[in-house]
């Protein structure tokens, strides 16, 4: 299979001694390591040496000179040197050096039994399960030694990825970011920028004046300090004062007069927003009026009480304002014998009801009613108080927004026939939902049309880097049990995260999580993990390589000797032999001569090539068996075409462009052999794109039943190698036959005949070949030897620089293959990729 061609790769000859890069935590990308100024313990004791290294998993590692290398915690990664360079950038043989790894105490790493480690990769792969670790913060040092002297020391440590956009929330609700003083230590938790709860360790809080505390209670500004994946993160937290003027303050009616006949008893029954502390220490009664004056112990009837914060709470800024409530001390509290309704549905005292805003519903206070003793109470018979989740008093219109609200329902006290006070206080929650509740909504992920994850527990996706957005190959379908399909962007959103960072595509190597979040519906049943697809992108791995040769003969790839160091291009294939496109800057090549020594590809001989990922490259990898081999020869592209002849480059180019081939095994070109008409047809056909452009059915005369070309020429068998080209040449009128019905396949072509063929080729493309023939040919000594029928075509070829570079034209002489090569390359130095000549168009010009 044909492989894609890159532009040559990086010939590793010079390495800069100070390479500055930024660590990418995770699948750590590619690098050179160098000594520099910084940690003295990491400096070379010899003139500055540098290394290129990998992470033990085939991926190159990035490093800032003089700094500690960072690898991913909890993995089998370690710092593995793959190349060593001296201060002048010359590569040294690593096999001549001793490589040692030291632990945090500076001792060589050892096995569990105390023996020296011989399998370094295996030792790190088994970390965290034996006697050693690769946890965050664990350090090791790579030491390269020769002759007992330390040449280079490089420290490496293990870290974990960071998170972005961390914020604080309260009470397990990631949307509740408002903190209000409630008299207790607040329940503060943390989520990332995508509103996903994160795993963290809380260190504590700083107040605005720098005081350190493990908890937060009072109103004020704080900075929370948490540790996420080993990284210290600061998060602002603002706690507001409890404002009694806006708080929902509710006091229920009661028949137990003795329980509220003191301020302490009153506060025990009073509900103040979301306040959860001890009320008697935080609030005080500013005034009270009852049936018998300004006393709580005034008998049965209505009481009005105003409260405010205690002096310490007010001075601390925790409580502001005041609130006034009214309540009754009843004769009969009929709460337990009353039935509450919302519409036609019974709502238990302390229960809840749902309102689906998504379905066009809205909360209607007029639907609330209470039945007691066979009578229904509603409207003005009831007093309704509404409280939001932050403990603030709101009106009924607030329930048009999604959220959970408490509704306190007071049966307005009344006196019965005996003059006794009767009443009841009940409550229920309203869940105003902006989404539809769907039973068993199902999600299916597909990749390339195949189901890869769904509610049935199918696995995720593992694929390889392609350079394109893999998200375009992911399909998402959400539908309910009735078959209703929900729309992306309207009914649900899709987010993609790489680690803890939100991204908009899946391209580079790494692990991604795609999450579907319902917007207009909620699913009953299942778990949130059902809505997540994991996509793991591995590097594009090359398993085999091949040089882009000047010529290939008998399985050997040849490059022409030039006297300079060559920079070949290479093609690559994957494990299945499919061509993959690996850019030249993605890899570093090493050239080995027949003795296995590192050399530059310059002199004649056989070279083996090995590959590895370049610095900073994580998307490409190279199998250890990925190599190539080629031969440099002074004999040029063809063994019979010397590199220094005037026509050599034209022959090389004609062969590389695919216009002309070599003889037999393609080792020779026969540059001095005369061109036949059959060969001329093949050359012109190849110039028009050949088999890459013209399939069989596009050529007039093709017989698919016999798989032959019926040209009508008696000397052309339909299955000859040149039959397709002759059929094409006849159909286009570029080369015609003779009156005797032959094509003249073996007849030699003269220079002027080939000029006519090229002119016909140009006209078939729609070009203009009109020139002043006499003026153009005037300077040539043998101009009169040009046949009249060929004069205009020869003049055109001369005017275009196709021929005529010498003092004479030699128009009647047979044209040699090397001269044909020069003419076709001069005429068309770049190959065509599309059909430039329609086989159905005949130029009508006969050059015979």
């Amino acid at each position: 299979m044909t492989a894609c061609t890159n532009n040559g790769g990086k010939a590793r000859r010079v390495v800069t001694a100070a390479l500055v890069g930024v660590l990418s935590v995770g699948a750590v990308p590619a690098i050179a390591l160098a000594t520099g100024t910084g940690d003295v313990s990491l400096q070379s004791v010899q003139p500055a040496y540098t290394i290129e290294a990998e992470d033990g998993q085939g991926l190159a590692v990035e490093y800032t000179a003089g700094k500690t290398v960072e690898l991913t915690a909890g993995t089998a990664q370690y710092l593995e040197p793959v190349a060593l360079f001296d201060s002048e950038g010359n590569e040294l043989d690593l096999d001549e050096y001793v490589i040692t790894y030291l632990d945090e105490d500076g001792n060589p790493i050892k096995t569990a039994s105390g023996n020296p480690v011989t399998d370094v990769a295996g030792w790190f792969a088994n970390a965290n399960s034996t006697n050693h670790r690769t946890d965050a913060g664990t350090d090791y040092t790579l030491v390269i030694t020769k002759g007992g002297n330390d040449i280079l020391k490089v420290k490496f440590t293990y870290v974990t990825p960071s998170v972005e956009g961390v914020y604080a929330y309260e009470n397990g609700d990631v949307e509740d970011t408002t903190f209000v003083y409630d008299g207790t230590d607040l329940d503060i938790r943390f989520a990332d920028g995508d509103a996903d709860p994160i795993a963290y360790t809380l260190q504590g809080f700083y107040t605005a004046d720098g005081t350190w505390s493990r908890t937060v209670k009072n109103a004020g500004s704080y900075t929370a300090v948490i540790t996420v994946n080993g990284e210290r993160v600061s998060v602002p937290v603002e706690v507001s004062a409890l404002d009694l003027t806006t708080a929902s303050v509710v006091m229920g009616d009661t028949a137990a007069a003795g329980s509220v006949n003191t301020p302490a008893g009153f506060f025990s029954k009073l509900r103040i927003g979301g306040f959860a502390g001890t009320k008697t220490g935080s609030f005080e009664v500013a005034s009270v009026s009852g049936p018998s004056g300004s006393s709580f112990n005034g008998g049965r009837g209505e009481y009005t009480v105003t409260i405010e914060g205690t002096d310490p709470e007010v001075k601390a800024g925790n409580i502001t304002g005041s609130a006034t409530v009214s309540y009754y001390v009843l004769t009969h509290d009929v709460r337990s014998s009353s039935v509450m309704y919302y519409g036609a549905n019974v709502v238990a005292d302390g229960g809840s009801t749902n309102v689906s805003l998504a379905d066009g519903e809205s909360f209607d206070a007029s639907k609330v009613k209470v039945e007691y003793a066979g009578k229904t109470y509603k409207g003005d018979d009831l007093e309704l108080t509404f409280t939001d989740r932050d403990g603030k008093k709101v009106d009924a219109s607030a329930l048009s927004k999604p959220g959970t609200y408490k509704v306190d329902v007071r049966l307005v006290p009344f006196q019965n026939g005996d003059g006794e006070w009767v009443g009841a206080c009940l409550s229920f929650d309203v869940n105003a939902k902006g989404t539809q509740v769907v039973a068993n909504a199902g999600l299916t992920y597909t990749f390339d049309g195949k189901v890869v994850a769904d509610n049935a527990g199918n696995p995720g996706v593992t694929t390889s880097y392609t350079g394109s957005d893999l998200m375009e190959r992911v399909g998402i379908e959400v539908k309910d049990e009735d078959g209703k399909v929900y729309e992306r962007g309207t009914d649900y959103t899709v987010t993609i995260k790489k680690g803890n960072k939100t991204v908009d595509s899946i391209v580079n190597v790494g692990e991604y999580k795609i999450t579907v979040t319902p917007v207009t519906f909620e699913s009953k049943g299942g778990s949130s993990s059902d809505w997540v697809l994991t996509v793991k992108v591995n590097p594009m791995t090359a398993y085999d390589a091949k040089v882009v040769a000047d010529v290939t003969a008998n399985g050997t790839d040849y490059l022409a000797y030039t006297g300079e160091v060559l920079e070949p291009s290479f093609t690559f294939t994957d494990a299945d032999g499919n061509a993959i496109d690996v850019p030249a800057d993605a890899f570093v090549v090493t050239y080995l001569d027949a003795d296995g020594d590192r050399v530059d590809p310059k002199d004649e001989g056989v070279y083996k090539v090995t590959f590895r990922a370049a610095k900073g490259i994580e998307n490409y990898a190279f199998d250890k068996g990925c190599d190539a081999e080629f031969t440099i020869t002074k004999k040029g592209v063809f063994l019979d075409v010397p590199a220094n002849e005037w026509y050599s480059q034209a022959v090389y180019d004609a062969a590389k462009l695919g216009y002309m081939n070599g003889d037999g095994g393609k080792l020779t070109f026969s540059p001095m052999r005369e061109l036949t008409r059959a060969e001329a047809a093949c050359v012109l056909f190849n110039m028009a794109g050949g088999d890459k452009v013209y399939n069989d059915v596009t050529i007039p005369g093709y017989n698919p039943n016999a798989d032959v070309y019926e040209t009508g020429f008696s000397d052309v068998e339909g299955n000859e190698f040149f039959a397709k080209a002759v059929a094409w040449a006849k159909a286009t009128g570029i080369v015609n036959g003779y009156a005797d019905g032959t094509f003249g396949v073996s007849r030699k072509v003269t220079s002027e005949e080939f000029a006519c063929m090229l002119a016909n080729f140009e006209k078939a493309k729609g070009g203009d070949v009109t020139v002043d023939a006499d003026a153009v040919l005037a300077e040539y000594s043998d101009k009169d030897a040009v046949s009249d029928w060929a004069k205009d075509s020869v003049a055109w070829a001369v005017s275009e620089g196709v021929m005529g570079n010498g003092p004479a034209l030699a128009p009647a002489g047979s044209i040699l293959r090397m001269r044909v090569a020069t003419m076709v390359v001069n005429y068309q130095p770049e190959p065509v990729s599309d059909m430039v000549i329609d086989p159905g168009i005949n130029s009508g010009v006969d050059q015979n």
Side-chain angles (χ1 to χ4, degrees), residues 92-260:
L92 307 174
D93 188 352
L94 263 177
D95 292 338
E96 298 178 359
Y97 295 79
V98 177
I99 297 173
T100 306
Y101 291 86
L102 307 181
D103 61 20
E104 292 182 296
D105 297 325
N107 300 316
I109 60 175
K110 295 181 179 180
T111 64
S113 58
N115 296 319
V117 174
T118 56
D119 178 11
V120 175
W123 192 84
F124 281 100
N126 290 321
N128 307 319
S129 63
T130 54
N131 66 326
H132 55 287
R133 314 294 297 173
T134 59
D135 293 332
T138 306
D139 300 331
Y140 294 94
T141 302
L142 164 72
V143 182
I144 300 178
T145 305
K146 185 174 184 179
N149 296 317
D150 291 344
I151 299 300
L152 184 66
K153 290 184 177 181
V154 182
K155 184 179 179 180
F156 59 99
T157 190
Y158 292 89
V159 299
T160 48
S162 62
V163 293
E164 298 180 353
V166 176
Y167 69 92
Y169 67 93
E170 186 178 18
N171 296 329
D173 185 350
V174 294
E175 296 182 359
D176 185 1
T177 58
T178 302
F179 298 93
V180 179
Y181 174 73
D182 70 357
T184 65
D185 292 338
L186 295 175
D187 180 11
I188 300 175
R189 307 179 190 184
F190 300 90
D192 63 18
D194 293 314
D196 292 328
I198 59 174
Y200 63 91
T201 300
L202 175 64
Q203 304 298 325
F205 301 86
Y206 282 109
T207 62
D209 62 4
T211 303
W212 177 255
S213 174
R214 290 284 298 174
T215 59
V216 167
K217 178 179 180 180
N218 293 329
S221 298
Y222 298 84
T223 299
V225 180
I226 62 175
T227 302
V228 183
N229 294 330
E231 179 180 351
R232 188 182 176 95
V233 180
S234 298
V235 185
V237 177
E238 193 74 25
V239 181
S240 300
L242 173 61
D243 185 356
L244 289 175
T245 61
T246 60
S248 177
V249 181
V250 179
M251 178 65 179
D253 301 325
T254 178
S259 66
V260 291

Side-chain angles (χ1 to χ4, degrees), residues 666-831:
K666 298 185 179 180
L667 292 173
T668 59
F669 184 79
S670 300
M672 309 308 293
R673 182 166 60 76
E674 297 165 325
L675 186 76
T676 67
R677 283 171 56 83
E679 290 176 320
C682 291
V683 171
L684 296 165
F685 177 64
N686 289 338
M687 291 172 63
D691 292 330
K692 294 180 181 179
V693 172
Y694 301 96
N695 56 38
D696 293 330
V697 297
T698 60
I699 307 298
Y702 174 66
N703 182 342
N705 295 323
D707 193 23
V708 297
Y709 299 91
E710 297 172 351
T711 64
F713 298 119
S714 61
D715 59 344
V716 179
E717 294 291 336
N719 58 358
E720 293 277 8
F721 75 89
F722 51 77
K724 183 177 182 179
V726 170
W728 171 86
K730 176 184 177 182
T732 58
I734 292 174
V735 185
N736 294 316
Y738 293 95
D740 63 358
T742 64
F743 183 78
V745 293
S746 300
R747 289 185 58 173
K748 304 301 187 287
V749 180
T750 66
S751 294
E752 64 183 6
E753 285 177 333
F754 195 69
C756 288
M757 294 177 187
L758 286 178
N760 287 348
F761 188 95
E762 176 65 17
K763 287 190 289 184
K765 288 169 54 179
D768 184 5
V769 298
T770 304
V771 296
D772 184 342
D774 291 334
V776 171
L777 300 179
E779 65 181 81
Y780 293 96
S781 60
D782 56 352
K783 60 183 180 295
D784 294 333
V786 179
S787 302
D788 290 340
W789 55 267
K791 186 175 182 180
D792 289 339
S793 294
V794 171
W796 165 80
V798 170
S799 69
E800 293 296 318
V802 175
M803 64 183 296
N805 294 326
L809 296 169
S814 296
I815 190 169
L816 303 180
R817 281 170 55 83
M818 57 86 171
R819 190 173 297 278
V820 173
T822 63
M823 289 180 68
V824 296
V825 171
N826 287 342
Y827 170 70
Q828 185 173 284
E830 297 293 334

